[in-house]
Amino acid sequence: MSKYCYDSIRNAVKNDVPIFMTSQTIWGRVDMNVYVTGRDLLNLGVVPLEDMIPETALVKLMWVLGQTRSIDKVHGLMLQPIAGEITERTAITEAA
Amino acid sequence: MGLRVGLEVHRQLDTRHKLFCECPTILSTKPPTLTLERRLRPTQSELGQVDPAALFEFNKGRAINYEADPETACLVELDEEPPHQLDPEAVDIALTISLLLHARPMDEVHVMRKVVIDGSNTTGFQRTAIISLNGKLDVDRKEIPIQQISLEEDAGRKTGENKNTVIFRLDRLGVPLIEIATGPVIKDAQEAGRVALAIGQVLRATKKVKRGLGSIRQDLNVSIEEGALIEIKGVQELDLVSKAVELEVQRQTSLLQIRDELRSRKVKPADLKEDFHELTPLVSRSESKIVQSALKLGGTVQGVKLPGFGGLLKRELMPGIRLGTEIAKRAAYWGRVAGVFHSDELPGYGIGQAEVGAVAKKLECGPSDAFVIIADYKENVLDGLKAVVERAREAIAGVPEETRTANPDGTTYYMRPRPGAARMYPETDVPPVQISSDRIRQIGDNLPRMPEDIAREIGSKYEISPKLAAQLVNSEYLDTFGEIAAIGKDIAPSFVATVLTESMRSLARDQVPVENLDDTHLKEVFRLVAEGKTAKESVLEILKWLATHPTANAASAVDQLNLGMIGRAELKGVISKVLESHRSLVQANGAKALGKMMNLVMAEVRGRADPKLVTELLRTELEPDRG
Ligand SMILES: [Zn+2]
């Protein structure tokens, strides 16, 4: 993500537009603390979605926005596991 | 003597999650489902240096096998996923302990990496974070400074090792550890034990620390005047702290005596030369298995003379550990060798008198000299002999600085040289944690009570003696006691307290594995007593059986041991048998024989009868008119 996007992101967050980060990998988890860009985005208000895959995240967000328009509730619901789409541990059996 | 001791107490925290991931903090009892082989590879640091210790480990060429299962490890332990945030529960516990010890919490907690090269961490480093500084603890009216309180991740659990491979189980990797370091102000061995105990009490007051073998590790820093600072790692039991200090004092004192003797013999460091001699032809026909197997693998036997060391290698430094043992351990470490022999233990180990004579002649040893020989691959032999010469030179100077490992009996052996500058650098994958003053205030307002207050309270609440109450608070069973005492008035609190303290200790002394007894076992046993299903007198026997059959329950123990209460009919039989065998006494004394008969009957049934019922039945027999 290039720095020229930062202003747009900042603007979106200011206007209560939810912005999430997912990983393109099938197994694995977003960790935004490891690189500078990740930390910048965290500071801008981007919310990492742990190990949820992007396609699921998109569909889930459509559903969530049908439930609530409160930005805090949107964030909360996106991070709350509903059907195994997000887990706190990445199991070793998947890696092996 | 100028003894100075500092303690580093490590204890596992009983948190829901590990320090940097969401795995549970339990050890697996099942076989691993995944095994990985990895190797440690030293790389240049940011300053372009290669860590010499890492290089040394790398040169050993050992592979590291990691064993894991999905219940107790995730990708974080495998180092395939970055660490998650510092576990907030562990930080809260560490802050609680900090406040109890009057230490000043950091405004911001920074996670650091400490280089660990034995393979016990998949990353090659251990994560550690200072939580607070400058605390204090009063022990017997002396103020013991607490220099630093830190959180650390526990290492992998070593489950096997051979020359080429070392195996670690990853269930323990990442379990939070609290580390508490005192200043080096402790002046004698007993005081070291008391300080360790006092710190243990503060930790237990949080009710958030793990208990049992393996959950506690104490490191000791011990020095005496003219001796050296020795770091002793991994003293697992509290009782062993003072013993380990005593033995270290004994070791350093003996080394100083050896130093004086070497000086009076006018032995100089320069007399000890790296002058190694090939001895293979002289011992190739010996019966020593070590020599034969080394030669079969294409190895060699070489030796070195230690001028002026005659008779000193057999000097005992600690029980079972001689100067020769120390030198052999050093050679084993640096030369990766096992077959080290010294002249004070020969002839022996399959090496005969004639061979010893030939070796001594070849090395030009006189009666006041000693020698060391090593059998292994040539490269290892040379590294080993160099280490022998170096250690012998150090004996002339006195006590070398070392890191040593504690044995279960309190003796120690050479582990590695003391690390120089701390090999620490920042963990950039974990963001620092701000400690707000609100968080500290909240923890400060909810501090757990200290052991002496709890002892006073339970002493008066349950009417047990102050000594027994204090023992209970010091034991692992305080909470269990509360739960058992709640069973009701059919069980005397002082009896329960005695069993949970004195009796458990005496069982442990008799090698009964009391650590297998869990709270459920203990509660069941006392409940059976309260319900009149077994006798007070049978409790120890039941506990002993349960400790060796931990999957069984108390009721089945009572059945197995036949310790159930005796019924009325059977009791009547026992009573008439006892009265019959003391007929003349009964006839002479009548009802006055009641007390004596009571004791005999209770002894006969080993307490397995209700005393009230025994009295009632005896009365009927002794005073027929009343019946
Ligand atoms: Zn994990």
Side-chain angles (χ1 to χ4, degrees):
Chain A
M1 169 96 43
S2 298
K3 285 208 162 119
Y4 73 81
C5 298
Y6 284 12
D7 275 341
S8 310
I9 293 172
R10 193 175 290 120
N11 233 340
V13 169
K14 205 163 76 192
N15 288 291
D16 281 356
V17 176
I19 304 187
F20 297 101
M21 178 71 83
T22 62
S23 166
Q24 290 181 334
T25 60
I26 296 175
W27 302 122
R29 179 178 303 272
V30 182
D31 190 315
M32 296 175 68
N33 286 305
V34 179
Y35 297 109
V36 175
T37 310
R39 286 189 285 246
D40 286 348
L41 293 173
L42 269 181
N43 287 335
L44 288 174
V46 174
V47 175
L49 288 180
E50 302 291 331
D51 61 345
M52 204 186 304
I53 58 173
E55 293 79 1
T56 308
L58 179 66
V59 175
K60 186 175 179 184
L61 184 57
M62 291 173 177
W63 173 78
V64 166
L65 289 173
Q67 313 295 313
T68 178
R69 286 299 165 114
S70 142
I71 187 71
D72 290 340
K73 282 187 185 150
V74 169
H75 286 158
L77 273 172
M78 284 303 282
L79 286 166
Q80 180 189 322
I82 289 174
E85 78 284 7
I86 180 167
T87 56
E88 50 181 17
R89 298 173 63 222
T90 324
I92 54 171
T93 39
E94 292 158 3
Chain B
M1 178 174 63
L3 173 64
R4 279 159 66 95
V5 183
L7 288 181
E8 256 178 49
V9 176
H10 302 85
R11 184 123 185 201
Q12 288 178 338
L13 300 183
D14 198 17
T15 47
R16 273 185 61 225
H17 296 147
K18 288 185 179 179
L19 200 50
F20 294 105
C21 67
E22 276 62 36
C23 288
T25 60
I26 52 168
L27 298 187
S28 180
T29 49
K30 295 178 198 156
T33 56
L34 176 75
T35 304
L36 313 161
E37 181 180 298
R38 296 218 177 135
R39 277 167 201 279
L40 196 71
R41 202 172 296 281
T43 54
Q44 286 188 1
S45 72
E46 285 83 347
L47 298 173
Q49 293 156 334
V50 171
D51 185 300
L55 189 64
F56 174 75
E57 277 301 311
F58 172 70
N59 285 339
K60 282 189 185 169
R62 290 212 295 187
I64 306 157
N65 281 359
Y66 293 112
E67 297 178 339
D69 67 280
E71 278 166 43
T72 60
C74 67
L75 289 194
V76 174
E77 286 89 332
L78 296 185
D79 195 27
E80 297 287 346
E81 178 173 302
H84 302 180
Q85 62 157 336
L86 192 57
D87 180 50
E89 187 187 6
V91 174
D92 277 347
I93 301 170
L95 287 170
T96 305
I97 293 165
S98 299
L99 297 186
L100 287 173
L101 290 170
H102 312 285
R104 190 171 48 79
M106 314 297 281
D107 301 332
E108 201 172 69
V109 172
H110 287 257
V111 180
M112 303 290 284
R113 298 172 172 181
K114 186 156 64 181
V115 174
V116 168
I117 37 153
D118 62 1
S120 60
N121 289 60
T122 46
T123 49
F125 51 78
Q126 178 192 38
R127 298 189 182 94
T128 170
I130 297 176
I131 302 294
S132 62
L133 296 170
N134 298 327
K136 63 186 167 71
L137 174 65
D138 284 338
V139 180
D140 299 335
R141 271 165 272 141
K142 172 170 162 183
E143 187 178 299
I144 306 292
I146 304 292
Q147 291 178 332
Q148 187 175 305
I149 298 172
S150 314
L151 271 177
E152 294 186 337
E153 53 180 358
D154 206 344
R157 184 162 60 94
K158 196 193 266 186
T159 53
E161 183 173 27
N162 61 43
K163 220 172 156 139
N164 304 313
T165 320
V166 52
I167 307 168
F168 293 98
R169 186 74 190 252
L170 295 183
D171 51 4
R172 202 182 68 183
L173 178 62
V175 171
L177 285 176
I178 186 105
E179 185 202 84
I180 297 174
T182 76
V185 299
I186 297 163
K187 294 287 170 56
D188 67 70
Q190 273 64 41
E191 189 188 359
R194 288 195 302 272
V195 172
L197 181 73
I199 292 174
Q201 284 177 353
V202 172
L203 295 181
R204 273 220 303 278
T206 65
K207 299 192 176 173
K208 288 294 183 101
V209 296
K210 293 204 185 277
R211 59 192 210 186
L213 198 67
S215 64
I216 312 177
R217 262 159 287 160
Q218 276 119 169
D219 296 349
L220 317 172
N221 295 307
V222 186
S223 63
I224 66 172
E225 211 168 304
E226 292 190 63
L229 183 58
I230 297 293
E231 205 181 340
I232 298 173
K233 293 269 183 202
V235 178
Q236 294 227 357
E237 286 182 65
L238 208 56
D239 302 345
L240 225 51
V241 169
S242 58
K243 178 88 182 290
V245 172
E246 254 165 48
L247 290 172
E248 179 55 27
V249 169
Q250 192 182 326
R251 193 184 71 94
Q252 294 200 24
T253 314
S254 310
L255 283 173
L256 292 176
Q257 283 162 0
I258 290 171
R259 172 200 71 180
D260 293 344
E261 183 140 354
L262 284 167
R263 284 182 184 172
S264 74
R265 292 182 188 185
K266 306 221 171 350
V267 183
K268 301 268 178 316
D271 300 339
L272 293 150
K273 297 191 182 75
E274 289 184 2
D275 196 0
F276 310 143
H277 291 267
E278 182 60 53
L279 304 171
T280 309
L282 304 180
V283 295
S284 64
R285 261 179 284 207
S286 91
E287 287 163 20
S288 162
K289 287 200 185 84
I290 294 169
V291 169
Q292 288 307 335
S293 79
L295 295 181
K296 203 177 289 166
L297 293 168
T300 177
V301 182
Q302 296 203 14
V304 67
K305 172 180 169 181
L306 301 179
F309 274 69
L312 293 179
L313 299 183
K314 64 168 178 258
R315 282 284 177 84
E316 197 170 71
L317 310 176
M318 286 188 285
I321 294 178
R322 298 159 197 283
L323 181 59
T325 327
E326 295 273 274
I327 290 180
K329 279 282 181 195
R330 191 68 84 81
Y333 180 84
W334 291 101
R336 312 161 294 280
V337 294
V340 184
F341 307 94
H342 60 80
S343 46
D344 280 357
E345 58 183 359
L346 299 176
Y349 303 102
I351 298 174
Q353 182 67 60
E355 285 145 341
V356 175
V359 168
K361 193 169 162 213
K362 170 86 183 181
L363 297 175
E364 298 175 359
C365 285
S368 61
D369 303 325
F371 64 79
V372 173
I373 62 179
I374 301 182
D376 210 297
Y377 295 113
K378 185 168 177 191
E379 190 198 331
N380 296 359
V381 167
L382 295 179
D383 285 346
L385 287 174
K386 272 185 207 157
V388 167
V389 171
E390 188 189 312
R391 180 64 188 85
R393 283 182 188 147
E394 289 168 0
I396 303 171
V399 185
E401 285 201 353
E402 288 171 350
T403 300
R404 301 176 66 83
T405 304
N407 290 315
D409 66 353
T411 59
T412 57
Y413 61 89
Y414 178 78
M415 183 183 177
R416 52 176 159 81
R418 261 174 59 77
R423 297 191 295 268
M424 285 248 247
Y425 57 104
E427 166 58 273
T428 46
D429 291 349
V430 181
V433 178
Q434 320 277 335
I435 306 293
S436 70
S437 47
D438 269 357
R439 186 175 185 177
I440 294 185
R441 197 172 314 122
Q442 218 195 340
I443 290 172
D445 288 344
N446 293 289
L447 285 181
R449 293 163 55 234
M450 290 303 289
E452 53 267 31
D453 303 330
I454 301 171
R456 213 172 300 128
E457 187 195 284
I458 64 165
S460 64
K461 179 170 173 193
Y462 296 106
E463 296 179 351
I464 55 180
S465 72
K467 188 176 163 228
L468 199 52
Q471 281 183 7
L472 201 54
V473 175
N474 286 341
S475 79
E476 302 285 354
Y477 301 108
L478 180 61
D479 297 339
T480 320
F481 169 79
E483 290 171 37
I484 295 169
I487 291 175
K489 60 177 171 38
D490 292 325
I491 190 98
S494 61
F495 169 65
V496 179
T498 309
V499 171
L500 293 179
T501 54
E502 285 162 24
S503 309
M504 290 296 250
R505 273 204 309 275
S506 79
L507 286 178
R509 259 197 308 274
D510 295 341
Q511 313 293 325
V512 175
V514 288
E515 63 278 5
N516 290 339
L517 294 170
D518 60 28
D519 288 1
T520 317
H521 288 133
L522 295 165
K523 272 186 272 182
E524 280 174 1
V525 173
F526 287 104
R527 181 163 288 125
L528 290 176
V529 176
E531 290 168 353
K533 294 197 175 127
T534 191
K536 268 166 71 172
E537 289 78 356
S538 308
V539 165
L540 272 200
E541 211 169 322
I542 297 171
L543 290 177
K544 203 167 162 179
W545 189 86
L546 282 172
T548 45
H549 303 81
T551 53
N553 63 21
S556 61
V558 169
D559 283 347
Q560 285 290 323
L561 298 166
N562 195 22
L563 289 174
M565 295 303 260
I566 293 179
R568 199 180 181 97
E570 196 186 335
L571 188 56
K572 272 187 165 168
V574 173
I575 288 177
S576 43
K577 218 175 79 200
V578 168
L579 293 182
E580 187 60 31
S581 57
H582 296 84
R583 198 192 317 191
S584 54
L585 190 85
V586 171
Q587 274 167 356
N589 293 292
K592 288 194 199 102
L594 182 72
K596 174 96 179 150
M597 292 303 114
M598 176 83 192
N599 288 343
L600 288 168
V601 171
M602 290 310 279
E604 182 69 27
V605 299
R606 286 184 300 151
R608 293 183 303 131
D610 178 6
K612 270 190 227 134
L613 183 60
V614 177
T615 317
E616 182 196 317
L617 294 175
L618 271 173
R619 283 233 162 94
T620 345
E621 294 289 327
L622 296 172
E623 309 166 30
D625 313 341
R626 281 172 54 124

